[in-house]
Amino acid sequence: MAQVQRMSRLLVKTLRDDPADAETLSHKLLVRAGYVRRNAAGIWSWLPLGKKVLDNVSRVVREEMDAIGAQEVLLPALLPKEPYEASARWEEYGDLLFRLKDRKGGEYLLGPTHEEIFTLVVKDQVSSYKDLPVMLYQIQTKYRDEARPRSGVLRGREFQMKDSYSFDTTDEGLAESYRLHREAYQKIFARLGLDYRIVSAVSGAMGGSASEEFLAPAAAGEDTFVDCPHCDYAANTEAVTFALTPVEGAEHPAVEELDTPGTPTIESLAELLGVPASATLKNLLVKVDGEIVAVGVPGNREVDLGKLGEHLAPAVVELVTAEDFEGRPDLVRGYVGPQGLEKVRYLADPRIAPGTSWITGANKQDTHARNVVCGRDFEVDQYLDVVVVEEGDPCPKCGTGLKLDRAIEIGHIFQLGRKYADTFQLDVLGQNGKPVRVTMGSYGIGVSRAVAALAEQHADEQGLYWPKEIAPADVHVVAAGKALQTELALDVSEKLAAAGVRVLVDERPGVSPGVKFTDAELIGVPQILVAGRRAAEGVVELKDRRTGEREELTVEEAIARLSA
């Protein structure tokens, strides 16, 4: 028998107006409908309705993880410094880590992710190849000291996450564990009712090789991804690549210096010379672990500092400042060119291919150079895809112009390989009696983030409309107000519960029918059953919250329909 939850006893306070600080749809509606309340920046309380939705998401995740043979554990959120120091992430995470000391001066952190701890657990518990493969997971509170927590539970400093890890003795075994997780994620997000895309991604601070993200398209999304309208290519913008295609056989004039006073920017240079910005070469100076490095891109494109940082991780990438030019006469601010740079490493986007000719700085004040050819007049030390991806850029697979869209990251899977196994010397005894280094996978789902993504995708002007699998109830029974209507509403609710239907019933005395109907639309239970004007006849109105379709049914028909 399911439970009947009465609105008169439910801790819920709905709001008619959006919170003043709310920017995203999910933030507005989850607060207005009484699912969550803010305690501090990035810190949220889950109220009874919200906790039900959060638990339902967790239940679906658990069921599908258990189905692939993963075993649930629960590791601490308060973690010692030493494992993260050993993996170098104590420093790499920087200000994102919540760090603290105990009364004896011992250093700890609040876990942002648990690769190190899971590795040590398996090292302690597993000694032979016969014990593998094994997949472990937890649903745990994670912590990240976000500089600008925003968008409600979408980007918090404390959040719920499912993280799982696979341990295998071979790369083939890792590929199989990765496949199992990938398929489980597809089932999870389908059951949750999320519209999602699987895109190629970069591993970032997690490390590893193969990496894919699961993205839920939404206007509030903080991730930008591309997809090809012609083929199946889709990727996070940080993972988009551009083919290096050398230009061969072209004849180029000799380098010509040009007097270009007052043109330290691409825009001013292009205007003076009457050329498109795409004919110029932009050279951005950055510091990589303190070393000044030049990054070359076409003048009409911008350097994506996020992509650059991912490529060069774990090194720290910063923009140069005016002080960095002091004592460096070889670096002329606003007029830097790659030709003649002797003490600066030169990185470039693949569009700066051998054989391409550019207008760029001449390393002299108020002077540029024309006909500067890559491969003839300068060399590129390393090619990296570092430009900001734009709508219409060619698809790496078929060449068709790509489309850009916004999305919320709801899941991420990695083939970590042996990064953490090497750090902690995670070996098992192999079939031949010799030690074998274990290889790992890491797989995450943002559980609380999935709730926000669902709210973004399942809402209209009236409020939320949850998919049945994760809704706080199956049906919201509304008593229009009179005693007979309330009596019928409660009777129907008990009969539905006896049939296994989860019921939320609004029998609040002294609350107008209009307020009850507005709250039912806002809260978003999939079906709304109204005991109204025909209650004396034993007739109720059933409304589909998502489609708005209404139908009058007898009580018996309504119970049969909803319990089917």
Side-chain angles (χ1 to χ4, degrees):
M1 181 173 175
Q3 182 184 18
V4 175
Q5 178 70 64
R6 296 190 178 205
M7 286 282 285
S8 62
R9 301 172 186 171
L10 182 66
L11 181 66
V12 60
K13 182 181 179 181
T14 58
L15 305 176
R16 294 294 163 255
D17 298 318
D18 294 333
D21 61 339
E23 298 176 357
T24 62
L25 185 61
S26 59
H27 185 178
K28 296 172 184 177
L29 293 178
L30 289 173
V31 172
R32 284 185 52 208
Y35 285 84
V36 298
R37 282 294 184 272
R38 180 182 182 272
N39 297 104
I43 303 173
W44 293 83
S45 292
W46 291 83
L47 303 181
L49 288 176
K51 183 62 164 57
K52 287 178 182 293
V53 173
L54 189 68
D55 287 348
N56 285 336
V57 173
S58 297
R59 172 181 52 77
V60 171
V61 171
R62 279 193 175 92
E63 288 172 359
E64 296 300 337
M65 293 306 300
D66 291 346
I68 63 170
Q71 303 171 62
E72 185 173 9
V73 298
L74 182 60
L75 303 187
L78 178 63
L79 304 170
K81 170 186 177 181
E82 289 74 17
Y84 289 82
E85 198 169 41
S87 68
R89 294 207 295 179
W90 179 262
E91 296 299 330
E92 287 175 19
Y93 263 105
D95 292 338
L96 277 175
L97 277 188
F98 278 105
R99 307 164 196 263
L100 63 157
K101 292 183 179 181
D102 65 13
R103 67 184 67 194
K104 297 179 180 179
E107 293 189 88
Y108 296 84
L109 68 146
L110 296 178
T113 182
H114 278 66
E115 279 77 6
E116 290 86 348
I117 309 305
F118 270 88
T119 304
L120 291 172
V121 166
V122 172
K123 182 179 174 68
D124 178 65
Q125 297 290 313
V126 171
S127 59
S128 168
Y129 75 94
K130 296 177 182 179
D131 301 322
L132 299 178
V134 67
M135 294 182 288
L136 304 174
Y137 78 96
Q138 65 172 346
I139 296 176
Q140 168 69 291
T141 303
K142 307 288 187 180
Y143 300 88
R144 290 179 189 167
D145 191 2
E146 296 283 356
R148 294 176 297 279
R150 55 190 181 276
S151 304
V153 298
L154 200 54
R155 191 177 184 87
R157 305 168 87 185
E158 176 187 274
F159 52 94
Q160 291 289 309
M161 181 176 170
K162 187 283 301 178
D163 52 329
S164 57
Y165 305 87
S166 62
F167 300 85
D168 292 270
T169 56
T170 65
D171 292 340
E172 293 77 15
L174 170 58
E176 175 63 11
S177 295
Y178 186 90
R179 182 190 68 79
L180 288 171
H181 274 85
R182 193 179 194 272
E183 292 180 356
Y185 276 35
Q186 290 174 289
K187 292 177 181 177
I188 288 167
F189 296 131
R191 287 181 60 186
L192 294 181
L194 279 165
D195 175 26
Y196 71 94
R197 307 286 186 275
I198 304 176
V199 304
S200 301
V202 294
S203 298
M206 303 292 288
S209 53
S211 175
E212 290 177 296
E213 288 179 346
F214 291 75
L215 301 180
E222 294 183 326
D223 277 43
T224 303
F225 76 100
V226 299
D227 59 359
C228 178
H230 182 69
C231 71
D232 61 353
Y233 180 79
N236 186 300
T237 53
E238 293 184 351
V240 176
T241 59
F242 184 86
L244 177 65
T245 308
V247 177
E248 299 178 353
E251 294 291 333
H252 297 287
V255 174
E256 175 189 359
E257 289 195 353
L258 306 170
D259 186 27
T260 55
T263 58
T265 66
I266 293 295
E267 293 75 15
S268 58
L269 175 65
E271 182 178 357
L272 176 68
L273 299 181
V275 299
S278 58
T280 68
L281 176 58
K282 180 186 297 182
N283 301 288
L284 179 71
L285 297 181
V286 298
K287 290 186 292 186
V288 180
D289 280 347
E291 173 198 0
I292 293 181
V293 173
V295 183
V297 300
N300 64 328
R301 305 302 289 260
E302 298 296 329
V303 175
D304 187 327
L305 292 175
K307 290 175 79 171
L308 181 64
E310 293 286 357
H311 283 302
L312 300 178
V316 176
V317 178
E318 306 170 275
L319 290 173
V320 296
T321 63
E323 290 74 23
D324 294 312
F325 287 90
E326 296 176 4
R328 293 296 302 266
D330 57 320
L331 301 177
V332 182
R333 193 173 188 179
Y335 297 90
V336 171
Q339 70 285 7
L341 285 181
E342 297 180 356
K343 300 179 182 179
V344 177
R345 187 156 56 107
Y346 193 68
L347 313 179
D349 187 80
R351 293 166 179 81
I352 317 302
T356 54
S357 178
W358 305 92
I359 299 170
T360 190
N363 300 307
K364 299 178 184 178
Q365 189 69 34
D366 294 330
T367 309
H368 283 83
R370 194 199 313 266
N371 308 322
V372 179
V373 180
C374 180
R376 185 191 73 179
D377 304 310
F378 69 92
E379 299 291 338
V380 174
D381 294 309
Q382 185 180 4
Y383 280 103
L384 299 172
D385 285 286
V386 293
V387 300
V388 174
V389 175
E390 296 179 356
E391 187 103 6
D393 279 350
C395 171
K397 287 184 70 174
C398 72
T400 303
L402 294 169
K403 291 186 175 182
L404 289 174
D405 205 351
R406 305 291 296 173
I408 298 166
E409 182 185 336
I410 49 176
H412 205 156
I413 56 179
F414 308 84
Q415 288 189 28
L416 286 177
R418 294 171 175 81
K419 174 181 177 178
Y420 295 94
D422 286 342
T423 298
F424 298 104
Q425 298 182 337
L426 176 55
D427 296 329
V428 296
L429 201 61
Q431 285 181 289
N432 60 2
K434 297 181 179 180
V436 175
R437 183 61 43 95
V438 172
T439 184
M440 293 172 56
S442 175
Y443 318 90
I445 288 178
V447 175
S448 51
R449 178 172 276 242
V451 175
L454 282 160
E456 290 287 337
Q457 291 187 349
H458 295 79
D460 56 23
E461 293 180 356
Q462 285 70 48
L464 299 158
Y465 52 85
W466 297 109
K468 182 177 180 180
E469 184 87 60
I470 59 93
D474 298 318
V475 59
H476 189 149
V477 179
V478 178
K482 296 180 181 179
L484 179 63
Q485 295 164 340
T486 301
E487 183 181 340
L488 179 62
L490 290 172
D491 181 61
V492 170
S493 297
E494 293 297 336
K495 289 176 179 177
L496 285 169
V501 179
R502 298 172 301 142
V503 180
L504 175 64
V505 58
D506 192 347
E507 40 41 285
R508 291 175 292 176
V511 178
S512 71
V515 169
K516 291 181 180 180
F517 296 147
T518 299
D519 282 350
E521 299 277 358
L522 181 60
I523 289 169
V525 171
Q527 300 290 333
I528 301 172
L529 190 67
V530 180
R533 58 186 178 83
R534 297 188 64 186
E537 305 170 49
V539 175
V540 291
E541 181 185 77
L542 181 63
K543 178 181 177 181
D544 185 290
R545 172 62 189 89
R546 182 180 65 83
T547 67
E549 295 178 0
R550 301 170 185 265
E551 186 178 3
E552 287 193 335
L553 302 168
T554 65
V555 169
E556 292 74 19
E557 289 171 337
I559 293 172
R561 177 82 60 84
L562 292 168
S563 59

